[in-house]
Each structure stands twice: as C-alpha cells, then as structure tokens.
Amino acid sequence: MPAPAQRVLGVGDDATVLPRGVFRLQTLAQWTTFNERYGPDGSLEPLGIDFTLDTLGVKQFPNLASLQAGIQQLTGDPNWNATLGNSFLNLRDRVTTFPFLFEMGLSKRLSLSVQVPYVSTQSMAFFNVNTTGIEGNLGFNPGLGPSPALTQNAALLAQFTADSTSLRNALDNCAANPASSGCAQLNAQSTSARALIASAQSFARGVNSIYANSLFVPIAGTDAQRSLESRVAAFKAEYATYAAYGVAPITSTGPFASQTRLTLLDAQTILSGSAFGIVADSLMSTSHTHLGDIDIGGKLLIYDSFGGATGARMSPHGLNFRTAVGGIFRLPTGRVASPNNFIEVGTGRGAKAIEGRWFSDLLVGSHFWQSFVLRYNKPFADDQEMRITDLPNEVLAPLYRRQMVRRQLGAALEFETTPRVVVNDFFSISGQYVYRHKAQDRYTGTFTVPAAITGIGDITLDASTLDLETETWEHRAGGGVSFSNLYSFEQGRSRVPFELTYLHWQTVRGAGGNQPKFFTDQIQLRLYARLFGN
C-alpha cells in the first residue's frame, strides 16, 4: 500500500505526521568535530587553552606554597616563584553519532517515536611541558630515596650541626675560663660567633626540611640553587675562621639539586600519581563508545490545509500551512564524562529531561516551503560526582575537590528554520539556521575538607562556583540536498519508498566560555513501510 508523504521532505524537522499505520525508520551518521570554543565575550579560543599555561606554579598546585615560602626565606629573595615549567595542550574532539529513530503513525494526526543513539567520542590530545627545554626552576627531588643525593644532604646537615656544636662548646669553655689560651680573642667575637651558630643552624634545618621531604627541589644551575650554594660557601668561610677552636671544615658544596627539568612523562606522573594529590587520568587521547540518551516522544498534528489529501500533498500549489506539537521524555542512558578525566567527552548529559516542540510548515506554490521548529528542553535535577573548582579555568583540581553535588542543568531554548526549494519530483535543496540558548546550570552543596587531607589547611568548597560560564548561546548555519522516491512510489514506479539527505552545518557565532565551534556533517536515510490501515 502507498505510504503518503510530502514529496522530497528534505533535511531537518517539519510538521508532517505519519499517516495511520505507516512506519518510518530513520537512521543517520553524524560527524561533529571541534577544536575551538567561544569565550565569555564571544571571542574564539583553542579548546585546550585552560591547559596551556606559561607557568605551572602555586596557582595550579597549592601544595607548592610552603616550598615557595621556604625557598624565599632561605635565599632571602621574596620575589622568587616556584614553577615546574610551562604546558601546552592541542585538543581536538570528534563525536560520531548513529541515531536510530523509529516512528509509527497511530492515526492521521498522531504518531509516536523512539530514538536510540549510539555514540562514539574521541578526544585527540597533544600535550607537552617545558616546550623549549629551559622553562621551570623545580624538578623531582633525587634525595627522597637511597642515593648519592640523600648522602650529600645528610652530610651537609651533619657538618653544620657538628660545627655549631664545636663552636658553641668553645664559646662556653672560654666564657668559663677566660684566661685560657686564645679565649680572649674568641670572647671578643662572642656575639658574632653565636649569631653565626643561630643563622647556620636555622639555614641547615630549613634546607634539610625541604631537601629531605619535598617532592620537588630547585634545579641545578637555577637562581635558587645557586643562591643556596652561595650561602653554604659563605657559612663554610665563616666557620673556617674558627678552625683554631676545633671547628672542622665544611666540605659539602650544598644540597643536592634536581638534575633535570620535568618531561612529559613526569607531568603525566604528577597528574595521575597519588603522591601529588590530583589523582586523575593522564592528558592523552581517549575514545569511548556507548549509548547516548534515549528519547521517547510523539507528535500531534493540529492543522493541515491539505486535509490529508495525498494528491494535494504530492503536488502542492498555492499557499498552504500546517502545524503540529510534540514532545519527548529523555532517558539518561548516555555516559557522562568522568570527573577523573579533564578532557573527556561524554556520550550524553546523564540527566532526565522533558522537551516540548512546536512545528510549522509554510508552503508557497509547488517548489518552495519552509519549516519553523521551536524546542524547549528542561532537565530534571540529579546528583553527580564532580570536581569543584573555584574558577572555570582552574582545571587541575586535586582529588579532595571531587564531591557528590546536586546538579540542575540549565534549560535550553532552540529555534530552527529550514527553507527548501524542490527542484523536481526527486531532489530538493535546503538551507538551515538554528539559534540555541542554554540557561546557566545550578550546582549546590557545601563541603569542608580538613587540613589532614588537603595538606594546606581546612578548605570549604561551595559547588555554586561550578555555575560559572555554563550559560551559552550559539548561531548555526548550514544546508544540504535531498533525494526522495516517494512521489515515484506513489506513481507505482518504485518498490521501496525512501529518502536520502546530506546536511552540513557549523556554529558561526557563540559565547559563554564553554560553547564549542561545531562543524557537523550528516547523512540520513528514511525508510517507509505500511504496517496496517488503508
């Protein structure tokens, strides 16, 4: 039996409703790529900009604050800043979607549908650190385990301690026996000698605290390491002036420095290793395949100037109009991006949602018609595990910031219009414009993390900071071509009614801080069959 439909429907949605008993299978392959996003002011920026940093310092790794303060005190330079180097991330994402849409006409005005998408996501990442090989003033501490570095650091502390003890004993002996040989001269230097002991001991304890415990220490040849070695040399020279009083010479040249700057492998270790606090996945290319979010919905025809006449729909003339309403319920069957992977793309939003839709078609003559579609999507609140950051660009969030928060995704309003020119009974050319606005997300939850976990003091996390830069808008433009044999099928010249369409669209404007610039190509196939009815 014939499957009545408008000839050459074309790309995009429209107000047509399947006749009673007609089944339609729509399947398509859609490829979306993006490597840029629109910032809050609408300017384009690389997708990996938050990971491209001039310096990896205290801002990214708060635990470096105590090391930075200690080095500043030991070197006497309050302007010295700890840095592991710079970083660079070139990120390009691809989302390939294969939706299967099953539609069934229950009456001449009502149809039901189920859409099951299968989604493949791929994040292609090129990550690097210390891009010219000379950035950074900190490296891994070679003295944390049995090594020559450990031996040298221990010897430095032991020699400073021994000389301080020897000089103090000599001062105490001369204070008690001022007539002893050489004591008159030593007693005259008593104040400066005791000041030397105090400053040397303080310096040695400070150096030992850093070089015996810190994960990072200054790199050989950098300003901080040279300054520390100079201070050791100065103390060595001062103690040498008291050699006559049994003070042994200091032979150490200083604490053992880190010998190399951070490599890419080192940076990945910092991201994933438990000792460094972040405990996340490495910044490398990933891919996942999973179901997307499943939609169950329907469409109700409100008005159709054709009155259901097949001939009129296949050969329209004059001015015609039709309108329909619809809606879907979205199931959260997609895979949400992991809070342990900072660059992963999920296959769905992971939240239940309802969506209302309005469709209208305006037909002018036999060769032009235009569809207008309005969609409003309202997600339901849910609980989601996320890493709470204070600012959107502070992406290297440590593990203690991963908390279960209450999430209310922002509602989305979308307007789509698709003008079509029917070339003949088989082909049409279409344009398409889409405006989409998504409201700000809302996150709630307050958490206090004790100093024993953070390592830098008690910290209170407020999930509302995740709201920042979640409101987005975009303009999309595109077009495509369609081939349909429905008219030929109506004439009895084709056995299997189908439509084949190609559509390309891309984001041309946007804003919000996290709005990607999409480039999408899709090929769609619609197959028709009558299951029951006249």
Side-chain angles (χ1 to χ4, degrees):
M1 297 295 294
Q6 168 106 14
R7 62 172 178 167
V8 200
L9 285 184
V11 303
D13 276 342
D14 53 61
T16 58
V17 175
L18 291 177
R20 178 176 180 270
V22 173
F23 171 79
R24 179 167 68 181
L25 168 64
Q26 295 191 59
T27 181
L28 63 87
Q30 184 182 81
W31 300 272
T32 299
T33 60
F34 50 100
N35 65 351
E36 293 181 300
R37 70 185 189 189
Y38 292 94
D41 61 352
S43 60
L44 278 173
E45 55 191 27
L47 199 58
I49 189 172
D50 291 338
F51 301 90
T52 301
L53 304 168
D54 292 334
T55 180
L56 294 167
V58 173
K59 183 177 180 180
Q60 291 75 33
F61 302 98
N63 288 351
L64 290 178
S66 59
L67 171 61
Q68 178 173 286
I71 296 295
Q72 288 175 346
Q73 183 176 11
L74 290 172
T75 61
D77 181 3
N79 298 317
W80 183 86
N81 292 316
T83 173
L84 299 173
N86 69 344
S87 63
F88 171 78
L89 177 65
N90 185 3
L91 182 62
R92 183 181 184 87
D93 290 337
R94 178 189 294 272
V95 180
T96 305
T97 308
F98 302 95
F100 296 89
L101 178 60
F102 307 92
E103 296 177 278
M104 187 71 204
L106 298 186
S107 70
K108 68 177 183 179
R109 291 185 175 274
L110 177 65
S111 65
L112 298 180
S113 64
V114 176
Q115 178 172 273
V116 181
Y118 185 71
V119 182
S120 173
T121 65
Q122 184 178 18
S123 295
M124 295 163 281
F126 174 76
F127 180 56
N128 199 12
V129 295
N130 293 326
T131 51
T132 65
I134 59 174
E135 295 86 2
N137 53 30
L138 294 178
F140 282 138
N141 185 358
L144 291 181
S147 65
L150 178 64
T151 302
Q152 179 173 317
N153 294 337
L156 177 66
L157 177 64
Q159 289 177 8
F160 267 68
T161 301
D163 279 15
S164 296
T165 301
S166 297
L167 183 56
R168 182 182 295 107
N169 290 339
L171 288 168
D172 292 344
N173 180 62
C174 284
N177 304 283
S180 298
S181 175
C183 283
Q185 184 178 5
L186 182 59
N187 286 337
Q189 303 176 66
S190 175
T191 301
S192 59
R194 293 189 183 279
L196 170 62
I197 293 172
S199 61
Q201 284 186 316
S202 175
F203 174 78
R205 285 194 295 266
V207 168
N208 184 70
S209 175
I210 291 174
Y211 283 78
N213 302 296
S214 176
L215 294 171
F216 305 101
V217 293
I219 297 170
T222 58
D223 291 345
Q225 184 66 23
R226 288 200 302 267
S227 178
L228 293 176
E229 291 169 356
S230 296
R231 289 205 66 188
V232 170
F235 281 121
K236 181 190 302 187
E238 288 191 70
Y239 272 123
T241 63
Y242 297 98
Y245 302 99
V247 178
I250 294 176
T251 59
S252 177
T253 58
F256 201 98
S258 177
Q259 300 301 299
T260 59
R261 286 173 167 80
L262 259 65
T263 65
L264 175 59
L265 181 60
D266 295 336
Q268 302 287 27
T269 299
I270 292 172
L271 289 173
S272 59
S274 58
F276 304 95
I278 296 179
V279 196
D281 295 342
S282 300
L283 290 178
M284 60 177 59
S285 298
T286 61
S287 61
H288 298 283
T289 55
H290 198 273
L291 281 178
D293 294 333
I294 294 176
D295 293 343
I296 302 173
K299 183 189 287 188
L300 177 66
L301 182 65
I302 302 300
Y303 175 77
D304 185 357
S305 66
F306 294 119
T310 301
R313 294 172 68 177
M314 286 297 174
S315 302
H317 63 275
L319 188 65
N320 289 280
F321 179 76
R322 61 181 165 231
T323 186
V325 295
I328 61 103
F329 178 75
R330 180 159 295 162
L331 302 175
T333 51
R335 183 181 185 273
V336 181
S338 169
N340 294 331
N341 193 309
F342 300 139
I343 60 173
E344 185 179 69
V345 179
T347 66
R349 304 182 75 188
K352 297 177 183 177
I354 56 173
E355 182 173 292
R357 298 171 176 176
W358 170 76
F359 312 84
S360 286
D361 297 335
L362 179 65
L363 295 87
V364 181
S366 59
H367 291 283
F368 178 81
W369 63 296
Q370 185 162 357
S371 295
F372 303 89
V373 182
L374 195 64
R375 305 181 185 93
Y376 181 78
N377 183 285
K378 177 64 176 177
F380 291 82
D382 65 347
D383 295 320
Q384 195 70 230
E385 191 174 38
M386 302 185 70
R387 297 201 183 208
I388 302 174
T389 57
D390 294 331
L391 293 171
N393 63 346
E394 296 177 358
V395 289
L396 300 177
L399 181 63
Y400 66 78
R401 288 182 172 269
R402 193 179 71 186
Q403 304 289 342
M404 187 67 71
V405 302
R406 190 65 175 171
R407 179 183 71 162
Q408 174 63 70
L409 294 175
L413 177 67
E414 188 171 283
F415 170 75
E416 174 186 308
T417 183
T418 308
R420 305 174 179 90
V421 175
V422 179
V423 179
N424 55 35
D425 294 338
F426 299 95
F427 292 95
S428 74
I429 301 173
S430 306
Q432 189 175 81
Y433 165 78
V434 176
Y435 170 78
R436 186 174 188 273
H437 174 265
K438 188 188 78 66
Q440 187 179 56
D441 299 338
R442 300 293 182 185
Y443 296 88
T444 55
T446 303
F447 312 88
T448 299
V449 186
I453 295 177
T454 68
I456 56 175
D458 293 351
I459 290 181
T460 299
L461 305 175
D462 186 347
S464 65
T465 57
L466 296 173
D467 299 353
L468 300 174
E469 296 187 9
T470 57
E471 180 181 6
T472 61
W473 60 265
E474 64 170 320
H475 296 274
R476 305 173 183 171
V481 295
S482 306
F483 171 82
S484 172
N485 74 346
L486 294 182
Y487 186 77
S488 178
F489 179 80
E490 283 289 329
Q491 305 303 312
R493 297 196 300 267
S494 299
R495 298 183 59 184
V496 179
F498 72 92
E499 294 173 319
L500 185 65
T501 68
Y502 166 77
L503 171 66
H504 169 84
W505 62 262
Q506 64 189 58
T507 306
V508 293
R509 286 186 60 198
N514 198 27
Q515 173 58 58
K517 180 177 176 61
F518 293 116
F519 293 85
T520 297
D521 292 277
Q522 71 176 44
I523 297 175
Q524 182 182 53
L525 174 65
R526 296 178 177 136
L527 296 172
Y528 294 82
R530 180 174 289 282
L531 301 185
F532 60 87
N534 295 325

